[in-house]
Amino acid sequence: MGTWHFFFLVAALFVSLAILAGRIRSSTSAKRKLPPGPPALPLIGNPLWLFRSYNSLEPAVLQAWAKYGPIVTLRLGPQPAIFISDRSLAHEALITKGAIFANRPWNSTSKDSPFANSKPYTVVGGIYGPIWRLLRRNITSEVLNPSAIKSNGPHRDWMLRILIERIESESAESGEGTVNIRQCFYHSLFRLLLLMCFGRKLDEKQAKEMAYTQNKLLIHLDKNVIFSVSPVLGKILFRKDWDEVANLRRKQAEVFLQLIGARREKAKKKKKDQSFSDENSVSHCYVDSLLALKLPDEGDRHLSEAEMINLCSEFLDAGTDTTSTTLQWIMANVVKNPQIQDKIVEEIERVLSERREEDKDPAELIIGEEDLQKMKYLKAVVLETLRRYPPAHFVLPHCATKDAQIGGYDIPRNAMINFGVLQMGLDEKMWEDPLEFKPERFLQQKEELDFTGSDEIKIMPFGVGRRICPGLALGMLHLQFTVANLVREFEWKTKEGEEVDLTGKGEFTTLMKNPLRAVVVPRRKTKY
């Protein structure tokens, strides 16, 4: 059968199904009051979603909000997709009716997708229910609790040294003193997350290879949204991409299983001999908790290898991509606004001067967690970046577990629902001069910002409600820790004749369209 004959048959099938779906929908639409939105083909919806990434749909969503209001319906396949830009409507959905909208509409780790080969048991994308709650409780209690975060202090110091060495090396190699800062952030953070996940410090070469695989998988996940919505159709239309994802997954599995196996063997040796120690590994990591975990709803079985691969993969992605993206946006604003950088330096010097009584030479010390708690202006810079330049303009999609209403509109069961993170941060009712970058606005507030949005949603870069990011505290710590130490270590400037371009572009996260090229000048002679 020729190619054109095949596509003709596919088109004919779509038309037939569209007619049938249109007749069915016409009888049910009259009974429902869906949020308004642009017209779309029955069943297919807007055909562009088949060939575009999820982030590239943002212009269409913005146009719909401008025309129809803060809650709109778009068609991304057979189910309606609801997009909300209003903070009070988001609060109604995610807080007041949080249990109804705590599910995911499709799961990129389902067994029908090339991104995985097992049941969709993950924290980020998993189905809302008892197993999801067990997995979330495990990562929160074992890796992301305050005690565990504090115990990783030496590992953050190790990451910082790697980052500074990389910045110095790139600056020297460029011949102009410039660095590609996001890549520096990404690879340094990735090595830290590898240590937290697998309990072992991997060399730079192996870490780079793993980072490449993870990043390519993320790009495909964003570019080929059809793989998640309709894996069968995706496999037909984009077979080359499908095969590449499958090969990347096999490569990922090989490396992950070696590291998981090494951790399993260490546990066995430790059980036989309590005095056993390994200088190249840490005492506890995320994989240790996964190896010990049992699923009571499935006969107390242990997690399969494929399930552990999924969980480790999302741990690395969630802790690296958004954080490295946000760090670039923070440093871009620090470089663009020298007065902000000066204020951070002044705050650092003030806080460190208080340590002179207890430390003979505080200049040799790394700025740690206790120091950061005293740096209010630094935190305000981070918060203002999250408000004005959030790493993602939408949260991961939610899904209605049953028929419900939001703002007087009907939301049918299984409908996808999402929220405009950037729009909420730019709400003029909440933020004066919302387009301006003013860290001071967070110093002027009487109460500290509540990320959970329990009473009111002001910004939601980490999501809110039942699906709020469990790594919120760790993410904020990594942002403040990295910025404070880098501003202390280097003076950050623009290259002569260049300006910082704060235009964004959508990939898996919202990156700078023109990556930050900063000139770094060492401030001190003392090295950590």
Side-chain angles (χ1 to χ4, degrees):
M1 181 184 295
T3 303
W4 287 108
H5 288 88
F6 170 76
F7 280 105
F8 175 79
L9 289 176
V10 172
L13 175 62
F14 269 125
V15 171
S16 300
L17 291 174
I19 294 173
L20 176 61
R23 292 176 179 175
I24 296 174
R25 186 172 288 115
S26 63
S27 62
T28 58
S29 296
K31 301 177 183 178
R32 288 176 175 168
K33 183 186 177 184
L34 292 176
L41 295 173
L43 187 66
I44 301 175
N46 185 339
L48 289 178
W49 73 269
L50 294 170
F51 307 99
R52 300 170 68 177
S53 71
Y54 189 80
N55 275 316
S56 66
L57 294 172
E58 185 175 3
V61 178
L62 292 175
Q63 291 175 9
W65 280 332
K67 184 174 182 178
Y68 298 102
I71 177 170
V72 298
T73 301
L74 275 69
R75 295 282 179 178
L76 306 180
Q79 292 293 342
I82 315 299
F83 289 85
I84 293 175
S85 63
D86 180 80
R87 293 179 298 107
S88 61
L89 293 178
H91 188 276
E92 179 183 352
L94 297 177
I95 303 298
T96 307
K97 300 175 181 177
I100 298 176
F101 297 102
N103 214 346
R104 296 296 189 203
W106 60 72
N107 196 288
S108 62
T109 57
S110 69
K111 61 184 177 63
D112 296 323
S113 167
F115 291 99
N117 54 6
S118 68
K119 294 181 180 179
Y121 292 162
T122 60
V123 179
V124 175
I127 296 172
Y128 184 68
I131 292 180
W132 174 82
R133 284 189 286 269
L134 174 67
L135 294 175
R136 183 183 174 94
R137 186 167 58 249
N138 174 70
I139 192 172
T140 301
S141 63
E142 296 289 335
V143 185
L144 301 176
N145 68 79
S147 176
I149 291 175
K150 186 174 183 179
S151 69
N152 276 304
H155 306 148
R156 283 189 290 276
D157 297 348
W158 170 72
M159 181 273 291
L160 179 64
R161 293 186 181 96
I162 291 174
L163 176 57
I164 290 175
E165 289 174 2
R166 190 180 182 95
I167 290 173
E168 291 176 334
S169 174
E170 284 206 9
S171 175
E173 290 176 3
S174 72
E176 303 173 329
T178 59
V179 294
N180 181 339
I181 193 62
R182 184 178 183 271
Q183 288 300 312
C184 293
F185 287 145
Y186 186 91
H187 287 285
S188 302
L189 283 166
F190 191 76
R191 291 186 72 177
L192 173 61
L193 269 292
L194 283 172
L195 175 60
M196 294 174 64
C197 184
F198 297 108
R200 182 173 291 273
K201 292 181 180 179
L202 302 181
D203 61 49
E204 184 176 0
K205 181 181 178 180
Q206 188 174 13
K208 278 186 176 181
E209 292 174 353
M210 294 178 70
Y212 174 82
T213 300
Q214 289 296 124
N215 189 250
K216 289 288 288 185
L217 285 170
L218 268 182
I219 290 173
H220 276 294
L221 181 60
D222 172 63
K223 183 179 77 170
N224 296 300
V225 64
I226 188 174
F227 286 173
S228 297
V229 181
S230 179
V232 174
L233 188 59
K235 189 174 184 178
I236 295 173
L237 296 179
F238 302 101
R239 185 56 186 258
K240 184 178 179 180
D241 284 354
W242 181 284
D243 290 341
E244 183 177 358
V245 170
N247 288 332
L248 288 168
R249 283 289 291 174
R250 282 193 288 270
K251 184 177 179 181
Q252 178 194 59
E254 289 176 3
V255 178
F256 280 24
L257 289 178
Q258 288 179 2
L259 295 171
I260 292 171
R263 205 64 195 181
R264 184 185 284 113
E265 287 301 312
K266 181 189 176 183
K268 290 180 180 178
K269 292 178 180 178
K270 187 72 175 178
K271 189 175 182 180
K272 292 180 179 179
D273 181 5
Q274 292 297 317
S275 63
F276 172 80
S277 64
D278 182 354
E279 295 181 357
N280 296 320
S281 65
V282 299
S283 59
H284 187 71
C285 66
Y286 185 40
V287 165
D288 292 339
S289 70
L290 298 181
L291 289 170
L293 199 64
K294 295 182 179 180
L295 305 181
D297 288 359
E298 297 191 10
D300 270 353
R301 73 170 178 87
H302 288 281
L303 291 168
S304 68
E305 291 181 336
E307 287 161 352
M308 284 192 283
I309 290 171
N310 288 339
L311 288 161
C312 291
S313 181
E314 73 168 6
F315 180 84
L316 296 174
D317 291 337
T320 305
D321 200 70
T322 54
T323 305
S324 60
T325 298
T326 305
L327 282 169
Q328 182 183 211
W329 284 111
I330 295 173
M331 295 309 299
N333 281 281
V334 166
V335 172
K336 191 176 183 67
N337 302 282
Q339 73 279 9
I340 291 178
Q341 185 170 182
D342 291 342
K343 289 181 180 180
I344 295 175
V345 172
E346 290 174 7
E347 185 173 60
I348 290 172
E349 292 302 321
R350 176 182 57 79
V351 170
L352 291 183
S353 67
E354 298 173 1
R355 297 173 61 174
R356 295 187 189 279
E357 295 181 359
E358 57 187 76
D359 302 309
K360 293 182 179 180
D361 189 1
E364 297 180 358
L365 298 175
I366 292 175
I367 299 171
E369 190 174 355
E370 294 182 0
D371 301 311
L372 295 173
Q373 293 174 0
K374 303 174 184 177
M375 298 181 182
K376 304 300 182 184
Y377 185 76
L378 170 67
K379 184 175 182 180
V381 173
V382 172
L383 292 175
E384 179 69 344
T385 305
L386 291 170
R387 179 197 70 83
R388 184 62 185 86
Y389 302 98
H393 289 182
F394 298 97
V395 299
L396 289 176
H398 290 245
C399 176
T401 56
K402 65 179 181 180
D403 292 345
Q405 282 196 335
I406 296 178
Y409 290 106
D410 294 325
I411 311 297
R413 180 176 177 270
N414 292 329
M416 189 197 84
I417 182 168
N418 210 324
F419 307 87
V421 176
L422 177 61
Q423 277 60 43
M424 294 178 197
L426 299 180
D427 187 350
E428 294 180 348
K429 297 178 182 178
M430 172 59 62
W431 307 105
E432 183 180 353
D433 299 326
L435 294 177
E436 298 297 319
F437 191 84
K438 296 180 178 180
E440 290 77 11
R441 72 175 81 241
F442 287 97
L443 299 176
Q444 296 164 358
Q445 292 187 355
K446 295 180 181 180
E447 298 179 355
E448 189 172 349
L449 178 71
D450 178 16
F451 276 116
T452 67
S454 298
D455 296 324
E456 179 185 26
I457 295 176
K458 296 182 178 180
I459 60 174
M460 51 180 293
F462 297 95
V464 297
R466 286 165 169 77
R467 288 282 185 170
I468 191 171
C469 176
L472 191 162
L474 182 64
M476 284 294 294
L477 174 58
H478 284 172
L479 293 174
Q480 295 173 82
F481 173 82
T482 307
V483 173
N485 282 287
L486 289 188
V487 170
R488 182 193 181 204
E489 187 70 21
F490 303 104
E491 179 185 2
W492 296 78
K493 303 187 295 184
T494 55
K495 183 182 176 183
E496 187 175 351
E498 293 186 0
E499 293 185 3
V500 177
D501 181 4
L502 295 176
T503 305
K505 68 172 184 176
E507 289 189 6
F508 184 77
T509 53
T510 304
L511 306 177
M512 294 181 67
K513 184 177 181 180
N514 297 304
L516 175 64
R517 277 167 34 97
V519 175
V520 294
V521 180
R523 293 186 189 272
R524 339 180 273 124
K525 296 181 180 180
T526 305
K527 295 298 179 184
Y528 296 125

